[in-house]
Structures are given as structure tokens and as C-alpha cells.
Amino acid sequence: MGRLSCLLKLSLITLLGVGGIVWLLNLPYPTIRRPVARAAPWVLTPSFIRMDYDYRQAIAHLEQAEQLINQATSPQDLALGEQKLQAAQKHLDALPAWFLDSAPRRDCSLVQCNWRFTLDEFKAARTQAGQLQAKVFQETNAQSVLTQGDQQVRQAKQAYQQASTPEARQQAIAQWQAGIDQLTEIPPTTLAARMAQPKLIAYKRDVTALSGGAPATTITRSNPLIAAAGEFARLAAQSSQQPPYTTQEWQAIVELWQQAIDRLKQVPANDASYLEAQTKLAEYQRNLGVVQTWQRAEKESVQALQRAKDLTAQWVAAAERASAAQRQGSLQAIINQLEQVKPGTTAYEEATFLLASAHNRLKQLQQQS
């Protein structure tokens, strides 16, 4: 019995030792994996299995997210699509970007996996995820406008029912039409625009009936300044439907909103359309603020990416004569710059790829030191 016990203990220790060695050799560092891949590629089977799993999960979640977001029939579809997109992003982040340049097809063939794992495919998946993220942002904003416009019309209805004077009823109708106009400015490619269509038909029918059969536009658009402002706002809304945009493109959209705001400010206080103008003014100023926020994010992100590239060039030039601590510090500075690049900007895709590469390089240096 004592001899058997010793053999069992020895077997257990051996098994744990072998497991520890396999775990060590499968650490996600090129300095470890490349020599192992040349000498004993079968040892890396756990790594290939994990990469295969992350790849398949990323593509599956990305396809589900695309279907739910681009073919959404309800806000619940958008919410679920956003969850699938986050899951896909998690698995994409787990894929070792540094491995993509080291003959993955050959290594993959060692464990008979039949999926394509290339740099171009990885970048394409990143791009698709970024586009879907921008689409979710646009859809969320459109849903917010739908809610606000619908609420404004409902409040106008209530105000009209409670109005005791012709002036109060006229103001209620003006607010009613302002809510309708807000709904018509929802980007037409969004789910919110499709949801708004039946509401608009009913709201326009009701406000036309209240105005004695006259078209609602003759009541609320009697002031040409408001009509002109609405046209500029329509163009601004159409121009911002497919982000990301460059700083110059955001500036053009900013100028359109500013043109709309400038015309509303010219409506005098004694004008019958003054209340409508003020309501739209608040809405357009809010939209202008959102666009300016995106413009700043784009400008800052492009600058951060360029600074990261400059630091990378300096890091490469000084790599041979710099100490390990200096190289790590320089890499951390590069990472800090890349982390300042915001999603939904033109720099985000490239920054995401460079960030993954910088993190892996830093891990390599830390492992070596």
C-alpha cells in the first residue's frame, strides 16, 4: 500500500509538472510561442483551440449584432444587438493581433482547424464592429428624438384641450406642429423614422382638422425665417447620418445648424410664430452641441493617434540604445495616447489595432525583464 501511495503521488506530481510546463509554453508571448511552434507545435494545441473559439464566437456575435441592428424592428432588437456587439468586441480583443503576421494558416493546419485567421480579416471585423457601434449611437439618438417629439405633440394636445382663448389654442397648435417637425427631422434610415411614420400621419391629420381644414404648414410656417431654418436643419440632419466624419465634415454640419439657429433668432418677440421659433431654437442648439462634441472628439482623437505614431517612430529609433525600463516607459506613453482615441471617430479602427500591438509588445518586455 505504501509503495502504491508513493507511485500515485509521483504520478500526480509528474502530471502537475507537465501541466505547468504546457501552461507556461502557451503563454501569449511571441518569444515563447515561436520557438515552441518550430520545435514542438503540438504543445500549442490549447492556444489554437482557444483562438479558434474566440474567432468563431467573435464572428457569430458580430453576425447576430449586424442582423439585429441593421434589421431592427423594435428598440429591444437594438438593445440586444448592442449586447451581441459588446460580446463580439470582447472575443476580438482576446485574439492575439501579433500572431496574425506569423503564418497562422500553417500553424492552424497543425490542429486541423478550418477557419481563416488573417490580418485582413481581423481588421475587417474591427471595422465592421466600429461601423455597428456608430450605427447604434445614431439609432439611440434617433430614438431620443422620437420620444421627445412624441411627448411634445401629446403635451400640445393636452394644452389645446385645456385652452380657453383663441391665442392659447393657437400656441398649442404651434407647439403641436413643432413636435411634428421634430419627428420629420429623424434620419430616414433609422428604426425611429419608421416608427414615427404612422404617428406623423395621425398627428398631421389631427392638427389639420383643428385648424379648420387648412394645412398645418400655413399656420406654423407663416414666418419664412422658420421655414428657412427648417431647411437648414433638415440638411444638417441628413448630413450626419453616416458617421464617422472628419473634422472638416463635422464643421460643415456645425455651420448648417448655426445657419438654422441664426434665422430663428431673427424672429421678433411680437411675431405669432415666436413660441414655435423658441421651441425649435432650443432643439437646434442642443443638436449643435452634440455635433460640436463629436467634432472635438474627432479632432482630439486624430491628434492623439498622430502623437502615438510619432512616439512609436521615436521608440523604434531609440530601441537599440534604450534600456528595458526606458522602452517600457515609452510603450506606456504610446498606449496612453492611443487610449485617448474615442469610438465613432475616423482614427478609432487604426488606433484599436495599434493599441493591441502596443499592449503585446509591453507584455513581451515585461516578460523578458
Side-chain angles (χ1 to χ4, degrees), residues 43 53-54 58 60 95 105 111 162 173 180 232 254 272 333 350 367:
V43 175
Y53 171 77
D54 283 323
L95 289 170
R105 290 178 181 273
V111 290
Q162 297 174 352
I173 292 177
I180 291 175
F232 279 109
V254 165
E350 185 177 2
Q367 184 71 19

Side-chain angles (χ1 to χ4, degrees), residues 225-226 228-229 232 254-267 281 284-285 288:
L225 290 171
I226 296 179
F232 279 109
V254 165
E255 290 173 0
L256 287 172
W257 282 118
Q258 192 60 59
Q259 290 279 4
I261 288 170
D262 291 343
R263 279 156 179 76
L264 291 177
K265 287 181 177 179
Q266 297 176 35
V267 177
L281 182 60
Y284 292 176
Q285 286 176 331
L288 174 62

